Amino acid sequence: MAKSRRVLITGATAGIGKEAAFQLARRGYEVILHGRNAEKAALVKAEVQARHPNAKLDILIADLESKADTIKLVDTFYQRYDALDVLINNAGGVMNKVRQETVDGLERTIVLNVLAPFICSALLMPALQRGTDAKIINTSSMAHIMGKPNLDNLMYETKFNAHRAYGDAKLYVILLGVEFARRQQLIGDTNPIGMYAFHPGVIASDFAKNSTSLYHHFFRLFRPFLSSVERGADTMVYLATQNNDALQNGGYYVRRKARKARLPTKTLDAAAQLWERCESLTGIRFGVESR
């Protein structure tokens, strides 16, 4: 019997992350569910197990707004496993109108949507390198078109705007994929790990429910007209289950198709600078040497 593929999904206790867990478990994947709340994660695990009794499931608990907690999540992974086939960086969200900082003194939107995925991806690279046709999938958004990146003000010490910060964050995860693919091409990797970003659509989920931004009011008012979580998770699951050679490394996907994202004019320069800022802010270098 072929070994089942192993996937770690952050933000797997609600919305498209939870739906992807159901769909990948149905396909025979070994699914590791990440959540912030242990009780809620246990309930989701029980739901998945009830629907798919033979599924291999596990839970990792961490607050991804904390660098120490994010590193602890990775350390716990390595205590239990050596290899990973798919990492889905799905946890994220839009914050309140007023700028807020994490326990590490960094702006929350960028930490949760950009730096936490960067840390997870960097530290889990050795596990991914031991995986089969391994890949990293980052949840982006059409909101990236609102991004106006200013890497000199990455933490929004001045002129904070919740919608702008969210748009920037979703643009940044696309740029990280561009830089990741470029670096792999430079070293001539003949079996590269893939990194992909995708837009799930405008989904009727709990997204932004705790935010005081306009996103919260939009999702509350228009919820009956929004897409289902099943449709929202479709491209995520598609990317997870396709062979890397059928996908565009560093690509941005919408409804299973690679699309042209709205990127800065000097895309490669911006992507390289962002990468360096992420390494500087986290203190973590991306690659095997980061472990």
XYZ file of all heavy atoms in Angstrom, residues 3-8 30 32 60 73-88 119-136 180 184 191-194 244 285-291:
458
model
N 2.336 4.893 0.667
C 2.309 5.755 1.847
C 1.436 6.968 1.577
O 1.512 7.585 0.519
C 3.736 6.203 2.176
C 3.842 6.999 3.468
C 5.262 7.450 3.720
C 5.611 8.627 2.825
N 6.894 9.267 3.221
N 0.585 7.321 2.561
C -0.281 8.487 2.378
C 0.545 9.763 2.466
O 1.559 9.826 3.156
C -1.378 8.500 3.447
O -0.815 8.605 4.744
N 0.118 10.772 1.723
C 0.798 12.056 1.765
C 0.373 12.824 3.019
O -0.757 12.695 3.478
C 0.479 12.862 0.502
C 1.189 12.292 -0.720
C 0.727 12.925 -2.014
N 0.962 14.357 -2.092
C 2.152 14.931 -2.302
N 3.232 14.172 -2.423
N 2.266 16.246 -2.400
N 1.315 13.595 3.560
C 1.075 14.305 4.819
C 0.947 15.798 4.534
O 1.794 16.396 3.871
C 2.225 14.046 5.783
C 2.084 14.748 7.141
C 3.255 14.391 8.049
N 3.234 12.974 8.378
C 4.309 12.190 8.344
N 5.485 12.670 7.963
N 4.215 10.907 8.661
N -0.102 16.412 5.080
C -0.342 17.831 4.891
C -0.560 18.502 6.238
O -1.221 17.948 7.119
C -1.563 18.073 3.960
C -2.821 17.399 4.491
C -1.817 19.573 3.765
N 0.022 19.670 6.404
C -0.211 20.512 7.577
C -0.974 21.743 7.114
O -0.526 22.456 6.210
C 1.126 20.917 8.212
C 1.091 22.050 9.253
C 0.170 21.721 10.410
C 2.506 22.340 9.757
N -2.865 12.230 5.145
C -2.680 12.350 6.588
C -2.715 13.840 6.895
O -1.876 14.597 6.398
C -1.344 11.741 7.004
C -1.059 11.809 8.486
C 0.279 11.177 8.845
O 0.923 10.596 7.952
O 0.671 11.294 10.023
N -2.700 17.156 9.362
C -2.341 17.779 10.638
C -3.061 19.120 10.703
O -2.853 19.998 9.871
C -0.822 17.979 10.757
C -0.090 16.645 10.584
C -0.473 18.606 12.112
C 1.409 16.786 10.457
N -1.964 20.414 16.028
C -0.897 21.268 16.551
C -1.538 22.585 16.977
O -2.271 23.199 16.201
C 0.178 21.527 15.493
C 1.039 20.327 15.073
C 1.977 20.724 13.935
C 1.836 19.798 16.258
N 5.371 25.366 17.476
C 4.572 24.513 16.588
C 5.481 23.669 15.708
O 5.285 22.453 15.560
C 3.645 25.373 15.731
C 2.778 24.663 14.676
C 1.467 25.410 14.485
C 3.479 24.538 13.330
N 6.486 24.311 15.123
C 7.420 23.590 14.245
C 8.214 22.556 15.043
O 8.407 21.418 14.591
C 8.363 24.578 13.538
C 9.423 23.829 12.737
C 7.570 25.516 12.628
N 8.677 22.941 16.221
C 9.432 22.000 17.059
C 8.581 20.775 17.412
O 9.068 19.639 17.396
C 9.909 22.688 18.333
C 11.043 23.677 18.082
O 11.698 23.564 17.023
O 11.270 24.554 18.939
N 7.308 21.009 17.722
C 6.415 19.888 18.033
C 6.226 18.997 16.815
O 6.178 17.765 16.937
C 5.048 20.410 18.524
O 5.244 21.269 19.644
C 4.132 19.255 18.916
N 6.127 19.613 15.640
C 6.039 18.817 14.414
C 7.234 17.883 14.304
O 7.084 16.675 14.035
C 5.970 19.730 13.184
C 6.022 18.979 11.879
C 4.859 18.551 11.261
C 7.241 18.664 11.276
C 4.899 17.828 10.076
C 7.296 17.940 10.094
C 6.119 17.530 9.491
N 8.426 18.409 14.508
C 9.638 17.586 14.351
C 9.770 16.521 15.440
O 10.443 15.502 15.231
C 10.878 18.470 14.329
C 11.138 19.114 12.978
C 11.022 20.484 12.801
C 11.494 18.340 11.874
C 11.252 21.071 11.569
C 11.715 18.922 10.633
C 11.595 20.286 10.485
O 11.812 20.867 9.257
N 9.138 16.727 16.580
C 9.131 15.689 17.611
C 8.304 14.479 17.179
O 8.549 13.350 17.625
C 8.564 16.255 18.912
C 9.489 17.254 19.613
C 8.781 18.015 20.729
O 7.699 17.615 21.179
N 9.382 19.099 21.184
N 7.348 14.714 16.271
C 6.436 13.644 15.856
C 6.716 13.120 14.452
O 6.391 11.969 14.146
C 4.993 14.162 15.909
C 4.564 14.659 17.273
C 3.156 15.250 17.232
N 2.794 15.888 18.487
C 1.651 16.533 18.709
N 0.755 16.619 17.721
N 1.409 17.079 19.880
N 7.287 13.959 13.587
C 7.428 13.599 12.175
C 8.797 14.020 11.654
O 9.448 14.894 12.241
C 6.344 14.306 11.337
C 4.944 14.110 11.847
C 4.311 15.102 12.590
C 4.245 12.929 11.596
C 3.025 14.937 13.064
C 2.951 12.749 12.061
C 2.338 13.756 12.802
O 1.067 13.580 13.268
N 9.171 13.431 10.534
C 10.414 13.855 9.884
C 10.172 14.468 8.516
O 10.991 15.251 8.033
C 11.394 12.681 9.761
C 10.846 11.569 8.870
O 9.634 11.542 8.604
O 11.658 10.716 8.446
N 9.064 14.128 7.884
C 8.822 14.590 6.512
C 7.427 15.210 6.388
O 6.504 14.875 7.131
C 8.957 13.421 5.534
N 7.319 16.121 5.417
C 6.050 16.795 5.132
C 5.934 16.950 3.626
O 6.896 17.340 2.962
C 6.015 18.171 5.807
C 4.752 19.014 5.634
C 3.555 18.329 6.294
C 4.952 20.417 6.215
N 4.769 16.649 3.092
C 4.559 16.746 1.646
C 3.900 18.065 1.237
O 4.216 18.613 0.174
C 3.694 15.576 1.162
C 4.327 14.235 1.486
O 5.454 13.994 1.035
O 3.692 13.447 2.209
N 2.980 18.556 2.067
C 2.262 19.786 1.723
C 2.108 20.652 2.974
O 1.626 20.186 4.006
C 0.855 19.491 1.149
C 0.166 20.794 0.735
C 0.924 18.522 -0.017
N 2.528 21.915 2.859
C 2.283 22.904 3.904
C 1.309 23.928 3.345
O 1.584 24.558 2.324
C 3.585 23.594 4.317
C 3.430 24.836 5.209
C 2.787 24.479 6.547
C 4.783 25.515 5.428
N 0.170 24.086 4.012
C -0.812 25.086 3.599
C -0.848 26.187 4.658
O -1.333 25.984 5.771
C -2.211 24.467 3.414
C -2.173 23.361 2.358
C -3.212 25.553 3.018
C -3.505 22.673 2.131
N 7.960 32.031 8.610
C 8.640 31.227 9.625
C 8.326 29.745 9.450
O 9.225 28.894 9.459
C 8.247 31.692 11.043
C 8.788 33.103 11.313
C 8.767 30.721 12.099
C 8.271 33.712 12.607
N 7.045 29.425 9.304
C 6.650 28.018 9.144
C 7.317 27.403 7.918
O 7.857 26.289 7.967
C 5.130 27.904 9.027
S 4.230 28.189 10.568
N 7.291 28.131 6.814
C 7.867 27.616 5.571
C 9.371 27.431 5.698
O 9.923 26.410 5.269
C 7.556 28.567 4.411
O 6.163 28.726 4.247
N 10.040 28.423 6.288
C 11.494 28.349 6.421
C 11.919 27.185 7.313
O 12.800 26.398 6.956
C 12.036 29.664 6.982
N 11.291 27.070 8.472
C 11.705 26.050 9.424
C 11.253 24.650 9.030
O 11.848 23.657 9.468
C 11.195 26.406 10.818
C 11.740 27.708 11.420
C 11.215 27.909 12.833
C 13.270 27.712 11.421
N 10.218 24.553 8.207
C 9.755 23.241 7.765
C 10.385 22.812 6.438
O 10.073 21.727 5.928
C 8.228 23.226 7.649
C 7.483 23.225 8.987
C 6.000 23.509 8.796
C 7.686 21.894 9.712
N 11.292 23.619 5.905
C 11.950 23.245 4.653
C 12.650 21.886 4.710
O 12.525 21.086 3.778
C 12.940 24.332 4.227
C 12.313 25.438 3.404
S 11.713 24.878 1.786
C 13.278 24.645 0.935
N 13.394 21.574 5.779
C 14.015 20.239 5.824
C 12.994 19.108 5.725
O 13.238 18.099 5.060
C 14.728 20.237 7.180
C 14.999 21.669 7.458
C 13.804 22.409 6.923
N 11.848 19.268 6.388
C 10.796 18.252 6.319
C 10.222 18.174 4.910
O 9.957 17.077 4.385
C 9.688 18.555 7.324
N 10.036 19.325 4.274
C 9.521 19.348 2.908
C 10.522 18.732 1.932
O 10.139 18.043 0.981
C 9.193 20.786 2.499
C 7.964 21.396 3.191
C 7.989 22.918 3.115
C 6.673 20.856 2.581
N 11.797 18.955 2.175
C 12.812 18.368 1.311
C 12.850 16.846 1.429
O 13.312 16.165 0.513
C 14.180 18.978 1.620
C 14.285 20.423 1.151
C 15.497 21.137 1.698
O 16.031 20.798 2.750
N 15.945 22.167 0.985
N 12.360 16.334 2.547
C 12.258 14.883 2.708
C 10.900 14.354 2.243
O 10.653 13.145 2.277
C 12.496 14.503 4.174
C 13.935 14.689 4.634
C 14.165 14.120 6.016
N 13.585 14.945 7.064
C 14.233 15.904 7.723
N 15.499 16.169 7.429
N 13.640 16.594 8.680
N 10.020 15.261 1.840
C 8.700 14.865 1.355
C 8.737 14.468 -0.107
O 9.783 14.480 -0.759
N 7.569 14.136 -0.625
C 7.420 13.721 -2.018
C 6.662 14.798 -2.790
O 5.548 15.167 -2.418
C 6.646 12.387 -2.098
O 7.345 11.396 -1.346
C 6.506 11.929 -3.540
N 7.295 15.311 -3.866
C 6.663 16.355 -4.686
C 6.108 17.450 -3.770
O 4.958 17.866 -3.891
C 5.550 15.753 -5.544
C 5.195 16.626 -6.744
O 6.121 17.102 -7.413
O 4.000 16.829 -7.000
N 6.957 17.923 -2.868
C 6.518 18.798 -1.790
C 6.176 20.200 -2.282
O 6.722 20.681 -3.281
C 7.594 18.867 -0.712
N 5.294 20.846 -1.535
C 4.848 22.182 -1.934
C 4.358 22.985 -0.737
O 3.981 22.422 0.301
C 3.744 22.082 -2.973
C 2.465 21.429 -2.476
C 1.578 21.019 -3.640
C 2.196 19.897 -4.433
N 1.412 19.497 -5.613
N 4.365 24.294 -0.926
C 3.858 25.255 0.052
C 2.749 26.051 -0.632
O 2.942 26.563 -1.738
C 4.962 26.211 0.527
C 6.119 25.428 1.172
C 4.402 27.243 1.502
C 7.388 26.256 1.351
N 10.799 32.879 -3.969
C 11.101 31.472 -3.673
C 11.403 30.711 -4.961
O 12.398 29.974 -5.048
C 9.905 30.841 -2.951
C 10.092 29.400 -2.568
C 10.765 29.066 -1.409
C 9.584 28.375 -3.363
C 10.935 27.733 -1.047
C 9.745 27.054 -3.007
C 10.426 26.724 -1.844
N 15.068 29.015 -6.203
C 15.206 27.605 -6.564
C 15.752 27.463 -7.978
O 16.554 26.571 -8.257
C 13.848 26.911 -6.442
C 13.340 26.832 -5.016
C 12.772 25.482 -4.661
O 12.078 24.868 -5.459
N 13.065 25.006 -3.484
N 14.396 19.158 -8.886
C 13.160 18.655 -8.284
C 12.684 19.665 -7.236
O 12.642 19.375 -6.049
C 13.385 17.279 -7.644
C 12.094 16.645 -7.163
O 11.018 16.888 -7.720
N 12.180 15.841 -6.118
N 12.341 20.873 -7.712
C 12.079 21.961 -6.763
C 10.799 21.766 -5.966
O 9.835 21.164 -6.422
C 11.961 23.186 -7.671
C 11.483 22.629 -8.982
C 12.148 21.289 -9.112
N 10.831 22.304 -4.759
C 9.610 22.425 -3.970
C 8.793 23.549 -4.587
O 9.329 24.575 -5.002
C 9.946 22.732 -2.503
C 10.648 21.514 -1.878
C 8.701 23.106 -1.702
C 11.252 21.782 -0.528
N 7.491 23.369 -4.686
C 6.641 24.408 -5.259
C 6.132 25.358 -4.192
O 5.948 24.974 -3.037
N 3.698 18.986 -8.998
C 4.343 20.285 -9.183
C 4.665 20.585 -10.642
O 4.633 21.737 -11.063
C 5.622 20.358 -8.349
C 5.340 20.608 -6.871
O 4.303 21.150 -6.518
N 6.262 20.206 -6.017
N 16.705 32.513 8.649
C 17.082 32.374 7.246
C 16.321 31.216 6.631
O 16.062 30.206 7.278
C 18.592 32.158 7.109
C 19.396 33.407 7.451
C 20.877 33.187 7.194
N 21.128 32.831 5.800
C 21.209 33.700 4.815
N 21.028 34.988 5.055
N 21.470 33.302 3.584
N 15.971 31.363 5.377
C 15.131 30.382 4.709
C 15.991 29.292 4.099
O 16.812 29.540 3.225
C 14.327 31.079 3.601
C 13.025 30.410 3.283
C 11.831 31.012 3.591
C 13.000 29.181 2.643
C 10.625 30.414 3.285
C 11.806 28.570 2.330
C 10.607 29.182 2.644
N 15.821 28.062 4.563
C 16.577 26.958 3.988
C 16.940 25.945 5.054
O 16.550 26.060 6.212
N 17.715 24.950 4.663
C 18.110 23.888 5.582
C 18.871 24.459 6.775
O 18.725 24.005 7.912
C 18.993 22.839 4.868
C 19.479 21.773 5.826
C 18.224 22.200 3.732
N 19.679 25.507 6.512
C 20.498 26.072 7.587
C 19.674 26.753 8.668
O 20.181 27.115 9.712
C 21.504 27.074 7.005
C 20.891 28.362 6.482
C 20.429 28.263 5.044
O 20.338 27.141 4.512
O 20.144 29.311 4.433
N 18.361 26.943 8.414
C 17.516 27.615 9.405
C 17.147 26.713 10.573
O 16.678 27.173 11.587
C 16.233 28.146 8.737
O 15.460 27.081 8.238
N 17.357 25.407 10.443
C 17.069 24.502 11.553
C 18.318 24.297 12.399
O 19.403 24.158 11.891
C 16.600 23.135 11.004
C 15.187 23.151 10.465
C 14.167 23.438 11.529
N 14.198 22.503 12.626
C 13.623 22.715 13.794
N 13.000 23.824 14.026
N 13.683 21.821 14.746
